[in-house]
């Protein structure tokens, strides 16, 4: 019964988060295209790219209403088939695309930080964001996503061993018969009656892909994040660039730091814990649903720092809400609060 209660809460969070995510990201896209500072450059296209990515991610999440489930050495993404628009085969494919979006998000973070470093250092590679080569940068998350799609659909496809292992636990937890859901996920090993253990190479390959993706994403973010921080501090101390440019770079950097903490807390940490528990054969059971909830919340809160920290976007929203004006003390204090 506990599993059904978690499921009800999860479905509500997924629906609310999808509405919030789509609304906020559409607003951000409008602001980026119409209210961006002139010296923002190609960064506006990167922000639009990320917002479109998060809108699609939210739509997919609410269509599937996926549930993450950990049962010892098994980790599944379960999708119920009742009251769905699509049949089991299509839902399985969409489930694989859901995996792909999670993997692609890891690359989005990395590209984001590399771009910020190119801007603050005025690196010559920055020109690659000004012409057709920007498509190459934008294709990196797509390649990550395709890797995860193939990992989920082929390496973690349903099989007799996994089904036999999880059939009873899923029924006991969620009161779902086997024909009422589809799943994708690795089942690392089986314990035989004689004490022997049969390992499944495909499942370990899945865990390897997940681990490498998370580690490489975090490594790039930490390295280039530190380089951006060091460079911006030096930039502020010099007079070779305009005050407006340096102020904008600081605003964007702090926005990026907060936007990185959000997926780190909502996606990297829960995903890493889930992977570790599966490797060490620790049963999370219904509490695996926490990962489903945090993933659903992520695209709804991720755009907020940009809306709040970038002054031109914030002031536009405040004006639309009737809060900000040049003579409004409240608006002035808010406008000055991020003059870093």
């Amino acid at each position: 019964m506990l599993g059904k209660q978690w499921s009800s809460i999860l479905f509500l969070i997924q629906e609310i988060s999808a509405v919030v995510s789509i609304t906020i990201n559409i607003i951000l896209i409008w602001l980026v295209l119409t209210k961006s500072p002139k010296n923002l450059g190609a960064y506006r296209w990167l922000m639009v790219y990320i917002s479109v990515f998060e809108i699609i991610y939210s739509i997919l999440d609410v269509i599937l209403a996926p549930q993450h489930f950990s049962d010892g050495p098994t980790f599944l993404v379960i999708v119920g088939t009742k009251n769905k628009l699509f049949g089991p085969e299509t839902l399985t494919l969409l489930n694989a695309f859901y995996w792909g979006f999670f993997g692609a998000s890891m690359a989005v973070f990395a590209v984001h930080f590399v771009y910020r470093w190119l801007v603050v250092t005025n690196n010559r590679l920055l020109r690659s964001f000004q012409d057709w080569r920007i498509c190459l940068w934008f294709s990196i998350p797509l390649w990550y996503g395709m890797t995860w799609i193939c990992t989920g659909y082929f390496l973690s496809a349903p099989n007799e061993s996994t089904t036999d292992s999880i059939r009873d636990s899923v029924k006991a937890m969620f009161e779902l018969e086997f024909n009422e859901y589809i799943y994708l996920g690795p089942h690392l090993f089986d314990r035989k009656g004689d004490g022997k253990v049969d390992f499944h190479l495909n499942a370990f390959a899945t865990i390897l892909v997940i681990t490498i993706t998370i580690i490489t994403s975090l490594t790039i973010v930490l390295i280039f994040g530190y380089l951006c921080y060091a460079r911006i501090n030096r930039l502020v101390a010099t007079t070779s660039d305009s005050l407006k440019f340096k102020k904008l770079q600081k605003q964007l950097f702090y926005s990026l730091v907060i936007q990185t903490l959000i997926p780190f807390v909502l996606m990297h940490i829960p995903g890493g814990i889930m992977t570790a528990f599966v490797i060490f054969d620790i049963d999370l059971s219904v509490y695996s649903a926490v990962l489903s909830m945090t993933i659903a919340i992520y695209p709804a809160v991720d755009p907020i720092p940009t809306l709040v920290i970038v002054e031109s976007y914030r002031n536009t929203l405040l004006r639309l809400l009737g809060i900000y004006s040049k003579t409004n003390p409240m608006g002035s204090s808010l406008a000055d609060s991020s003059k870093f």
Side-chain angles (χ1 to χ4, degrees):
M1 189 62 184
L2 180 60
K4 293 194 70 174
Q5 293 173 345
W6 272 96
S7 297
S8 299
I9 297 172
L10 172 60
F11 295 157
L12 179 62
I13 290 175
Q14 287 169 331
E15 291 175 354
I16 294 175
S17 296
V19 173
V20 173
S21 171
I22 293 170
T23 302
I24 293 181
N25 276 291
I26 288 175
I27 292 173
L28 180 57
I29 290 173
W30 171 71
L31 289 171
V32 169
L33 294 178
T34 63
K35 304 297 180 180
S36 292
K38 293 181 180 179
N39 54 355
L40 193 63
Y43 190 54
R44 71 183 65 193
W45 303 118
L46 183 57
M47 289 196 289
V48 169
Y49 177 84
I50 293 172
S51 289
V52 171
F53 172 87
E54 291 177 349
I55 289 172
I56 299 174
Y57 202 173
S58 297
I59 293 173
L60 185 61
D61 190 58
V62 78
I63 288 175
L64 292 178
Q67 301 184 81
H68 294 76
F69 179 64
S70 171
D71 184 27
T74 307
F75 165 58
L76 306 177
V77 180
I78 298 172
V79 176
T81 57
K82 287 183 177 180
N83 304 317
K84 289 293 194 301
L85 297 173
F86 308 103
E89 294 80 8
T90 303
L91 288 174
T92 300
L93 182 60
L94 290 176
N95 194 357
F97 273 87
Y98 176 79
W99 282 53
F101 270 85
F102 186 94
S105 66
M106 301 293 117
V108 167
F109 310 145
V111 171
H112 208 162
F113 263 97
V114 171
Y115 177 81
R116 297 301 312 132
W117 177 75
L118 293 177
V119 170
V120 298
T121 59
N122 198 26
N123 191 286
R124 62 182 182 179
L125 281 177
L126 185 61
R127 298 175 185 173
S128 62
F129 278 87
Q130 309 295 336
D131 54 36
W132 66 268
R133 289 175 294 176
I134 193 174
C135 296
L136 299 179
W137 287 103
F138 286 177
S139 71
I140 294 175
L142 299 182
W143 285 110
Y144 267 69
M146 285 301 301
T147 300
W148 274 63
I149 289 172
C150 293
T151 299
Y153 195 76
F154 296 109
L155 296 182
S156 300
N159 57 69
E160 184 177 351
S161 176
T162 305
T163 299
D164 291 342
S165 174
I166 58 92
R167 187 195 302 265
D168 292 338
S169 56
V170 171
K171 182 177 180 179
M173 188 62 60
F174 300 106
E175 299 182 13
L176 290 174
E177 299 293 341
F178 180 69
N179 61 354
E180 295 177 331
Y181 64 91
I182 57 94
Y183 72 85
L184 292 175
H187 173 57
L188 297 183
F189 56 81
D190 288 308
R191 287 193 178 90
K192 301 298 183 181
D194 56 4
K196 292 182 179 180
V197 177
D198 287 342
F199 293 98
H200 304 295
L201 295 181
N202 284 357
F204 277 94
T206 298
I207 296 297
L208 182 62
V209 169
I210 294 173
T211 302
I212 290 175
T213 302
I214 293 176
I215 290 177
T216 54
S217 175
L218 282 177
T219 300
I220 292 173
V221 164
L222 291 175
I223 291 175
F224 283 93
Y226 173 77
L227 292 175
C228 285
Y229 173 78
R231 176 61 179 173
I232 286 175
N233 281 342
R234 291 196 298 269
L235 184 65
V236 171
T238 67
T239 57
S240 58
D241 292 289
S242 69
L243 180 62
K244 182 181 291 187
F245 175 79
K246 289 184 288 188
K247 177 182 175 182
L248 176 61
Q249 296 312 312
K250 271 215 161 183
Q251 290 176 354
L252 293 175
F253 177 73
Y254 287 126
S255 173
L256 184 57
V257 169
I258 297 173
Q259 281 183 303
T260 302
L261 290 175
I262 290 171
F264 182 74
V265 172
L266 296 180
M267 299 180 73
H268 285 92
I269 291 179
I273 292 174
M274 180 80 69
T275 303
F277 273 46
V278 171
I279 292 174
F280 291 106
D281 192 14
I282 301 175
D283 188 5
L284 276 175
S285 188
V286 69
Y287 298 105
S288 309
V290 171
L291 178 58
S292 306
M293 295 178 184
T294 58
I295 290 177
I297 293 171
Y298 153 69
V301 300
D302 185 61
I304 295 176
T306 302
L307 292 175
V308 173
I309 293 177
V310 178
E311 190 174 21
S312 60
Y313 301 160
R314 183 182 66 242
N315 290 345
T316 299
L317 288 178
L318 292 176
R319 288 190 186 97
L320 290 175
L321 294 173
I323 299 174
Y324 174 84
S325 69
K326 290 184 178 180
T327 58
N328 188 327
M330 180 180 178
S332 298
S333 63
L334 285 168
D336 293 338
S337 63
S338 66
K339 289 183 179 179
F340 304 109

